[in-house]
Amino acid sequence: MAGQAEEGRRVRLNRERVLAAAVALADEAGIDSLSMRRLAQELGVVPMALYKHVANKEELLDAMVDVLVAEIDPPAGGAGWKSAIRQRVLSARRVLLRHPWARQVLESRTRQTPAVLGYTDSFIGMFLAGGFSVDLTHHVMHALGSRMWGFTQELFDAPAGPKADAPAVPPEALAAMFRQMAERYPNVARVAMAAAHEEGSVVGHGCDDQFEFEFALDLLLDGFERLHQQGWTSRQAKPARMPPASTGT
Amino acid sequence: MAGQAEEGRRVRLNRERVLAAAVALADEAGIDSLSMRRLAQELGVVPMALYKHVANKEELLDAMVDVLVAEIDPPAGGAGWKSAIRQRVLSARRVLLRHPWARQVLESRTRQTPAVLGYTDSFIGMFLAGGFSVDLTHHVMHALGSRMWGFTQELFDAPAGPKADAPAVPPEALAAMFRQMAERYPNVARVAMAAAHEEGSVVGHGCDDQFEFEFALDLLLDGFERLHQQGWTSRQAKPARMPPASTGT
DNA sequence: ACCTGAACACCGTTCAAGT
DNA sequence: ACCTGAACACCGTTCAAGT
């Protein structure tokens, strides 16, 4: 990251270099560090120089999403819709995990770039090719939501990760915290302890995100399959607004 | 919103007033307008006055989430886990829809406040009370994800809503745009047109968010029920990493 | 105990000027 | 055609001072 400034000063700036630098900066320093000023500095250029290659910060973020989309594998053919969708989602997930900023940026996007539309279009095409009705495909795409991009928002999921600068908490204080926690939130404690045990990991290590992601993805795909086989349509479902595959209770 | 400043100057500031003003400001002007400086102005006070009642902006946002959580109905008893969960999620959703900023703020939270832990704890308790194993409950909570708060991220879902200030696009230009769109993204076009038809609404009006939310929620709840009845455990599922309720393809 | 004022180190972006 | 410099209207927050 040093020396880049001098080197950059002689090479002409262009859109590609701006985007590559933006992605690299977000990858390495985090999305909060990606400011127009910081990015310009990284490129050895005055902030305003960027605006010749990118309309504004919003458009820069849109373009970064396009870079992302280009990294997702094209649809795999031949193995049926379910496996094709599954593989593609997991490919998107691998891309997302390479770029920690992607989740937050995708969530904040409101413009559909051509690349995003293209991805969505080919994704929809996979259901249609599998024999899904346009109607079912529509609702199924909504149900998938952000899972189509390989992520779900795991709310509050960086639970008290010990800060690097924070002083180590003495073990007896930690034990007291756990006891108090278990008393006030017994159900959370039971689930957390079971999960920690299951992983064979240290308490608080967290969950196997990949397993949880695939668990929910497969649950949904199985549900989609069932509805498809039953010839589900929103007509039946809508007037009474009944659950799709059961009669409640 | 006028006159509030003079009135505010005589009444003593306190945490409650700060929070109420923050929620009101975010409700009315949007979360992007909620800055410490603007909030102070709204309260007729200098920015730094707020820091006596709130540690910093992060803590203010955490406290706003607590206000939200308090508005969610307590669990309904007596009708079985499925109906109880469903009702609670839909109650959370009603709260979320009253506070447009909530989604974004919840997504950005990383600290678990006592109120959030309390909600999570009672939520987990509903599955356990329904006879779910701790193991299944754990995975099921992950699968629910943000749906537990009554929302899912509908990515890119404000599609080209005609800006208030933008000049009206002439109809023939609009038609040309649609034609071009349908040519490049035929699958998106098919689904969009079917959805528009189904609603009996104007093209581009969008989808019935509430229907989509309940569709996916019920799909998940039905899946949970099935796994519960089958006595699913993560032991079976983990080693081979198979889909939970089918053998693939 | 609570509020204020001035200041610091940041933002994104416009506009007029340079080469 | 591309880059620069100065400026504008914002941020969150610290610190020392007022009442």
Side-chain angles (χ1 to χ4, degrees), chain A residues 82 109 121 135 139 142 146 149 153-155 185 187-188 198 212 218-219 222 224 226 241 244 246, chain B residues 82 121 135 139 142 146 149 153-155 185 187-188 198 207-208 212 218-219 222 226 244 246:
Chain A
K82 202 174 180 182
R109 283 322 61 203
D121 195 73
D135 178 38
H139 300 293
H142 275 285
S146 72
W149 296 99
Q153 68 281 64
E154 297 282 351
L155 255 28
Y185 313 107
N187 299 318
V188 169
E198 182 189 314
E212 305 304 343
D218 290 327
L219 198 63
D222 287 345
F224 299 168
R226 216 168 275 121
R241 196 158 273 175
S246 84
Chain B
K82 202 174 180 181
D121 195 73
D135 178 39
H139 301 294
H142 275 286
S146 73
W149 296 99
Q153 68 284 60
E154 296 282 350
L155 258 27
Y185 313 107
N187 300 317
V188 168
E198 181 188 316
C207 308
D208 181 343
E212 304 305 344
D218 290 328
L219 198 62
D222 287 346
R226 215 167 276 121
S246 84

Side-chain angles (χ1 to χ4, degrees), chain B residues 147-174:
Chain B
R147 277 200 169 81
M148 146 183 177
W149 296 99
F151 73 95
T152 7
Q153 68 284 60
E154 296 282 350
L155 258 27
F156 311 100
D157 63 345
K163 304 263 177 69
D165 54 343
V169 183
E172 61 274 20
L174 213 68

